[in-house]
Amino acid sequence: MKTKLLFFLAFSMLMSGCSKQDATLPGGFTRTHDDMTGDITITSPLMMPSMNGGMEINKVILESGSSFMYIMFQTNSSSPHYGEVGLIVLFEDGTRLEKPNLDVSCTYYSSSSNTPFNYRSYLILDDELYELFSTKVMKKFRLYIYDVELFARPAEKFVDYVKQIKDMV
């Protein structure tokens, strides 16, 4: 099941050119409909609670009616590292989440930036992870070797986004 979800996630990102934004929802969330698959994706505003990284939560509602949620973590760097893995999240209460085998993608996005390489990782939320991110405030995260220290207010707002997106359709 997890492999199917990861494949769908990758396919959804590839097919994003076939999607159109059809609504801006309360709180700045957007709702897009994929013309090719019939799936709907709801996306939170990109939270940039740091100078060098951020995250957003997404909910994908499949045409079949089932759904799943995932968090996209991102940061930037001046150095390219391809094929790397690893996500660590530290929460304000000391809780630590480690996903040592989670893929981290690297893409080149800007020749005019001091940090032209963008790193992203996608964490699919099961019930346990949803509970964690909807009740605890993140302090920092690491993608591969890149640490992102989070500012308190945006990190707290992200907890609200995780709670809000669950019931959106």
Side-chain angles (χ1 to χ4, degrees):
M1 178 67 172
K2 191 170 190 176
T3 303
K4 288 180 184 178
L5 288 175
L6 288 172
F7 173 77
F8 176 77
L9 180 59
F11 181 75
S12 294
M13 289 182 288
L14 268 172
M15 298 304 293
S16 63
C18 301
S19 298
K20 63 180 181 180
Q21 181 176 328
D22 60 10
T24 300
L25 303 172
F29 287 83
T30 57
R31 183 180 190 270
T32 56
H33 179 260
D34 186 313
D35 295 341
M36 298 293 285
T37 65
D39 301 335
I40 295 168
T41 301
I42 299 170
T43 304
S44 74
L46 177 63
M47 296 298 293
M48 298 297 284
S50 139
M51 296 299 287
N52 66 331
M55 62 271 185
E56 69 184 20
I57 184 161
N58 295 269
K59 179 179 181 179
V60 178
I61 304 166
L62 305 175
E63 189 173 43
S64 66
S66 62
S67 66
F68 66 94
M69 293 179 285
Y70 66 91
I71 297 174
M72 184 272 300
F73 294 90
Q74 75 170 23
T75 190
N76 301 315
S77 172
S78 59
S79 303
H81 299 279
Y82 296 98
E84 302 299 344
V85 295
L87 169 70
I88 300 172
V89 180
L90 300 178
F91 295 88
E92 286 185 349
D93 70 354
T95 302
R96 179 182 180 103
L97 172 69
E98 294 187 43
K99 294 292 183 179
N101 297 317
L102 192 66
D103 289 334
V104 177
S105 68
C106 176
T107 56
Y108 178 79
Y109 76 96
S110 173
S111 61
S112 64
S113 172
N114 290 334
T115 56
F117 297 96
N118 180 262
Y119 292 88
R120 289 186 177 191
S121 196
Y122 301 88
L123 179 65
I124 295 173
L125 301 184
D126 58 17
D127 291 341
E128 183 179 328
L129 289 174
Y130 173 81
E131 182 68 22
L132 183 67
F133 285 97
S134 66
T135 59
K136 297 183 183 288
V137 176
M138 287 183 278
K139 181 177 180 181
K140 67 189 305 184
F141 65 85
R142 174 180 291 166
L143 288 179
Y144 175 50
I145 59 171
Y146 299 106
D147 288 1
V148 177
E149 189 90 27
L150 305 176
F151 298 134
R153 291 187 74 196
E156 291 167 1
K157 181 70 175 167
F158 190 74
V159 172
D160 292 336
Y161 284 164
V162 173
K163 291 175 185 175
Q164 290 173 30
I165 203 169
K166 185 170 187 168
D167 295 323
M168 290 184 173
V169 290

